DNA sequence: TTTACTGT
């Protein structure tokens, strides 16, 4: 193999690794301590009980193994990817909100945990985003919109740090509060958590949409409000594409699109189900593209 | 329950 070809391969693998690692704020500093977490007595593995291993096995940094677990079925896109200890995000600099966030949930990770207190978490600007593209709390203040989590706080109850990491403003998008974020959207988030009761693993991708509509001149336009001095985009809709992995390893996909507006509380969730391809075309993303098609058993509850 | 706001 020629030296040139070897260099090319090395550059390629560095790029692939970069996709996993881009922008994660702590792993370069803490990687070595995380590969060997605080287990006194290591490296004599036999001296560590299984119980203490489980207790200390909560990843507190974005380790390669956790990221590849979350992203098992592929990246929807590769724009400004950031990895956190329990979720992965792609940031849209132009709109100052995420393109997508990816989470992996289990019954254990969403179980009620009294040691994790949401009220102790503060919404905070993400210093890892260039100031030109970073949203601030003042952008949202008196805007009339909630700072709506894309990766939901309630999905990250294994550790206080996991919960806190969902409060970066890079994980927020302006959402109608009463009637949407605190109601229909919250119901959808609770539905996703409930799926961990039927599936051993739940993978969920969440993000904004800016959908076109026809105006009086008969032409199609995309129109959305922007808020604050950083002109944070207010999406017209939000989506969730979900995959549940059953005990038999069959995969079940659901996709939802909800308008960012007051939704009557008596509206059933299935009203918002759409073909996953519809979301992909609207978002410019490909979801779960690494799934083996013959593993996919159902889409929106219908056999495929 | 969980989601957050504004005003102090």
């Amino acid at each position: 193999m020629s030296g040139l070809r070897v260099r090319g391969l090395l550059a390629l693998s560095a790029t692939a690794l970069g996709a996993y690692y881009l922008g994660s704020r702590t792993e370069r500093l803490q990687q070595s301590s995380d590969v060997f977490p605080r287990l006194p007595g290591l490296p004599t593995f036999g001296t560590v009980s299984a119980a203490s291993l489980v207790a200390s096995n909560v990843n507190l940094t974005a380790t390669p193994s956790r990221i590849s677990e979350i992203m098992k079925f592929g990246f929807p896109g590769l724009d400004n990817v950031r990895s956190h200890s329990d979720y992965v995000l792609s940031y849209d600099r132009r709109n100052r909100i995420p393109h997508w966030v990816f989470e992996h949930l289990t019954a254990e990770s969403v179980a009620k945990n009294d040691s994790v207190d949401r009220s102790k978490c503060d919404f905070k600007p993400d210093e890892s985003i260039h100031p030109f593209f970073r949203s601030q709390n003042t952008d949202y203040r008196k805007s009339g919109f909630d700072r709506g989590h894309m990766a939901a706080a309630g999905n990250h109850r294994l550790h206080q740090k996991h919960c806190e990491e969902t409060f970066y403003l890079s994980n927020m998008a302006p959402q109608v509060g009463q009637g949407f974020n605190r109601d229909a959207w919250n119901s959808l988030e609770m539905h996703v958590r409930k799926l961990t009761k039927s599936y051993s693993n739940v993978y969920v991708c969440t993000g904004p949409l800016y959908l076109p509509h026809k105006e009086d001149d008969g032409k199609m336009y995309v129109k959305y409000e922007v808020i604050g001095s950083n002109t944070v985009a207010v999406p017209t809709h939000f989506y969730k594409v979900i995959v549940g992995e059953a005990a038999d390893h069959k995969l079940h996909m659901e996709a939802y699109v909800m308008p960012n507006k007051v939704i009557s509380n008596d509206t059933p969730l299935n009203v918002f189900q759409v073909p996953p391809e519809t979301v992909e075309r609207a978002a410019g993303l490909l979801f779960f593209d690494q799934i083996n098609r013959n593993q996919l058993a159902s889409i929106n509850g219908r056999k495929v």
Side-chain angles (χ1 to χ4, degrees), chain A residues 8-68:
Chain A
L9 285 174
L10 285 173
L12 247 186
S13 49
T15 308
L17 197 64
Y20 275 80
Y21 259 148
L22 260 181
S24 179
R25 58 176 57 63
T26 51
E27 77 259 342
R28 284 183 200 86
L29 291 172
Q30 298 184 11
Q31 192 176 357
S32 58
S33 68
D34 200 86
V35 172
F36 302 107
R38 294 151 230 90
L39 291 177
L42 273 183
T44 45
F45 290 95
T47 63
V48 181
S49 77
S52 69
L53 268 176
V54 167
S56 59
N57 216 11
V58 177
N59 272 327
L60 293 184
T61 56
T63 57
S65 64
R66 182 59 181 139
I67 295 164
S68 53

Side-chain angles (χ1 to χ4, degrees), chain A residues 68-98:
Chain A
S68 53
E69 192 174 22
I70 297 168
M71 304 310 298
K72 178 178 177 181
F73 294 118
F75 284 70
L78 288 174
D79 187 29
N80 290 299
V81 175
R82 274 161 169 64
S83 49
H84 295 276
S85 49
D86 208 32
Y87 73 99
V88 178
L89 172 148
S90 165
Y91 191 72
D92 181 353
R93 289 174 152 193
R94 185 166 66 83
N95 287 314
R96 299 88 157 92
I97 65 173

Side-chain angles (χ1 to χ4, degrees), chain A residues 106-277:
Chain A
T106 63
E108 185 198 17
S109 73
V110 303
K112 189 167 164 50
N113 179 351
D114 288 332
S115 72
V116 175
D117 186 351
R118 188 189 200 277
S119 68
K120 287 196 173 71
C121 299
D122 295 318
F123 293 91
K124 49 194 180 289
D126 187 338
E127 308 285 342
S128 80
I129 308 284
H130 187 287
F132 287 2
F133 318 123
R134 193 188 299 160
S135 65
Q136 302 286 348
N137 282 313
T138 49
D139 294 319
Y140 285 85
R141 197 158 297 144
K142 292 183 178 174
S143 69
F145 294 98
D146 278 10
R147 295 165 289 191
H149 285 67
M150 295 293 96
N155 293 350
H156 303 274
R157 290 159 151 161
L158 274 180
H159 196 280
Q160 183 70 23
K161 181 171 185 277
H162 293 178
C163 182
E164 283 169 7
E165 283 186 11
T166 69
F167 277 74
Y168 286 114
L169 290 179
S170 52
N171 180 44
M172 303 298 157
Q175 291 186 319
V176 169
Q178 211 72 50
F180 182 71
N181 182 34
R182 310 173 196 185
D183 296 286
W185 184 253
N186 187 30
S187 302
L188 179 56
E189 291 178 336
M190 292 195 286
H191 167 72
V192 173
R193 285 196 283 274
K194 204 169 180 180
L195 290 177
T196 61
K197 294 182 186 299
S198 3
Y199 301 114
S200 31
N201 292 290
V202 171
Y203 301 85
V204 55
C205 185
T206 306
L209 293 173
Y210 313 88
L211 296 188
H213 67 276
K214 192 176 280 187
E215 297 218 333
D216 290 344
D217 63 3
K219 299 178 183 177
M220 302 284 279
Y221 295 89
V222 175
K223 179 180 152 189
Y224 55 93
E225 185 179 351
V226 295
I227 57 170
S229 58
N230 293 300
T231 60
V232 179
V234 181
T236 64
H237 295 70
F238 292 94
Y239 68 83
K240 280 186 185 289
V241 183
I242 306 147
V243 163
E245 186 179 29
D248 63 2
H249 299 295
K250 290 286 187 189
L251 303 175
H252 301 266
M253 186 178 287
E254 297 179 11
Y256 298 85
V257 171
M258 279 189 177
N260 188 13
K261 63 183 190 188
V262 174
I263 293 169
S264 163
N265 270 334
D266 53 21
T267 314
L269 276 182
N270 59 28
V271 165
F272 303 103
Q273 283 190 334
V274 296
E277 183 181 315

